[in-house]
Amino acid sequence: MTSGVVINQWQTPEDAREAGWNALVGAEDFFLGPDWMRVLQDSAGAWMGYLTAHADDRVLAALPMVRATHESPWSLGRTDLLIRHCAEEGMDGSAEVLAGFGDVERLMPSMMCGGRHLGRTRLLLHPDAGAETAHRIIEQAERTAARDGCRSICLPYVDASDRLQRDVLRDRGYISHLSGQFATLTLPGEGFTDYALAFPARRSRRVRAERRHIKASDVRITLAPLDPADIPRLGALETELFAKYGMAGWDPRRSEAVLRAAAQRLGDRALVSKAVRDGRIVGFALVLSHGDAWFVHRAGFDYEAVGKLPLYYELVYYTLADHAPRHGVKTVHYGIGSTEAKVSRGCALSAQYLYVKELG
């Protein structure tokens, strides 16, 4: 269904919503919904745009765009830094792509498409829309990027299962390499006990022992809507996490901007799994709600205060497994990174691929 397809570009997520964008947002597309895109537009400090393809008053495709520059602090969401990172990590095909470009600086600035999140960045397509519609909207994104002075266009995390999009990108001359593994947990049964008992015996004993360790400690664990009063502390904790993993120089105000926008735009759909000791927050995870799924988006810890307490596993897995039934949640999406830890706590993985095209 391609005859009469019209491509439109919108400046705000609200314009995109009015154009029918939400009709294409599925169960796993929280980060591609207008509410989250407004959070990003409020906090990312970057130009963002939105393309839709229509025919006969129906929206057939949609694609968000964000312009990344050398000043953008997104180490895993920026074309040049992501290609380098993947090559350093030995991800399949990335060394060849890096060598082919020689100097990835030449790819900047770059138009990042499919959403500015880590995992499953994609073109939204109606079931009736085929490859030709996908070609049309991606072609328009390329024109927009070139007109904006971008030297490349990139979809950083295309899921292995997205065959149509991958075929279209390949046909359009994009080159690709592995860029990560997207982790998803399907919760078994009802609550933490069912979750823990679903593991093989040895792992189950360890998971239950870690939970007992937390319960015997003086740390109090809660799951509740994001409290704006906590935002400065949460920003400081996320900055500490980034520093631990080599991102020195992160400005906590960037974290605060995202958290503040999330609290304002999402309300009770933005939850925080939080650990408090002696009245002070020592760890957190931001959990975003979408239908019957949760998306764990960011976290942070006071590593000196935490010591050897297994707070990461408690806040990110055990507390969520415990609370999920009362929220009607069956699935938790964890995105990319820390793959071994995620698999050890029951997650399944789906390969992600970076697709990039240099613009002449």
Side-chain angles (χ1 to χ4, degrees):
M1 181 177 178
T2 56
S3 61
V5 171
V6 176
I7 310 294
N8 292 304
Q9 183 172 326
W10 313 97
Q11 295 184 339
T12 72
E14 291 76 25
D15 292 338
R17 190 201 307 269
E18 288 296 317
W21 188 289
N22 272 355
L24 302 177
V25 175
E28 297 185 354
D29 295 325
F30 170 81
F31 295 114
L32 294 175
D35 289 339
W36 183 253
M37 291 191 296
R38 168 48 65 186
V39 169
L40 291 183
Q41 191 153 321
D42 286 350
S43 61
W47 177 90
M48 298 182 69
Y50 311 88
L51 297 177
T52 57
H54 291 80
D56 301 325
D57 297 324
R58 283 202 302 166
V59 62
L60 295 179
L63 184 68
M65 303 175 292
V66 57
R67 189 176 190 267
T69 70
H70 286 111
E71 286 69 49
S72 300
W74 321 321
S75 62
L76 296 182
R78 207 177 95 180
T79 304
D80 57 337
L81 298 184
L82 181 54
I83 293 174
R84 284 200 194 104
H85 167 79
C86 292
E88 290 168 359
E89 294 293 313
M91 295 189 189
D92 288 352
S94 57
E96 291 81 1
V97 170
L98 180 61
F101 284 120
D103 181 5
V104 288
E105 296 291 324
R106 67 196 248 190
L107 299 176
M108 301 301 293
S110 183
M111 190 67 78
M112 315 301 293
C113 294
R116 212 206 69 67
H117 52 278
L118 304 185
R120 293 186 173 164
T121 49
R122 75 183 190 96
L123 167 66
L124 295 169
L125 280 176
H126 190 280
D128 291 343
E132 189 174 340
T133 299
H135 273 286
R136 290 275 304 277
I137 196 167
I138 292 172
E139 180 181 36
Q140 182 58 48
E142 293 168 3
R143 289 198 190 105
T144 300
R147 187 169 59 243
D148 190 55
C150 290
R151 295 179 179 176
S152 67
I153 184 167
C154 178
L155 286 91
Y157 300 100
V158 179
D159 196 87
S161 66
D162 200 340
R163 297 304 316 178
L164 189 150
Q165 181 173 210
R166 295 180 67 193
D167 289 345
V168 167
L169 292 170
R170 185 193 65 239
D171 292 346
R172 296 195 63 80
Y174 288 70
I175 58 176
S176 66
H177 64 72
L178 188 70
S179 57
Q181 299 283 347
F182 190 92
T184 297
L185 174 64
T186 301
L187 291 166
E190 298 288 332
F192 171 78
T193 299
D194 287 348
Y195 165 75
L197 291 177
F199 288 101
R202 185 175 179 181
R203 178 69 64 188
S204 178
R205 287 194 296 270
R206 179 170 181 176
V207 165
R208 286 177 286 155
E210 287 173 343
R211 186 125 227 246
R212 288 195 299 271
H213 190 185
I214 294 291
K215 287 185 175 296
S217 75
D218 59 351
V219 172
R220 182 171 60 92
I221 307 294
T222 60
L223 179 71
L226 171 59
D227 184 347
D230 290 340
I231 287 175
R233 177 60 176 163
L234 303 187
L237 292 175
E238 183 175 48
T239 301
E240 189 168 337
L241 179 146
F242 286 154
K244 179 179 179 180
Y245 291 100
M247 288 180 60
W250 177 263
D251 188 340
R253 289 175 296 183
R254 296 186 183 278
S255 298
E256 292 175 27
V258 176
L259 292 166
R260 195 168 295 110
Q264 179 182 357
R265 300 290 177 178
L266 301 178
D268 289 352
R269 288 179 292 160
L271 303 171
V272 171
S273 178
K274 182 170 66 176
V276 177
R277 170 182 276 163
D278 296 330
R280 186 169 176 80
I281 303 171
V282 295
F284 85 97
L286 178 66
V287 182
L288 306 171
S289 180
H290 179 62
D292 65 353
W294 278 337
F295 292 75
V296 178
H297 182 55
R298 55 210 312 131
F301 300 92
D302 181 336
Y303 291 101
E304 182 177 352
V306 167
K308 294 185 178 180
L309 274 178
L311 269 190
Y312 166 75
Y313 290 122
E314 175 62 42
L315 294 179
V316 177
Y317 298 95
Y318 308 159
T319 293
L320 301 192
D322 229 2
H323 286 261
R326 73 194 70 171
H327 290 267
V329 169
K330 303 294 185 183
T331 305
V332 185
H333 298 287
Y334 289 96
I336 66 165
S338 303
T339 300
E340 184 176 339
K342 290 171 181 175
V343 170
S344 77
R345 294 308 182 270
C347 291
L349 302 177
S350 181
Q352 308 293 289
Y353 292 88
L354 176 147
Y355 281 80
V356 61
K357 181 178 182 179
E358 193 167 12
L359 300 172

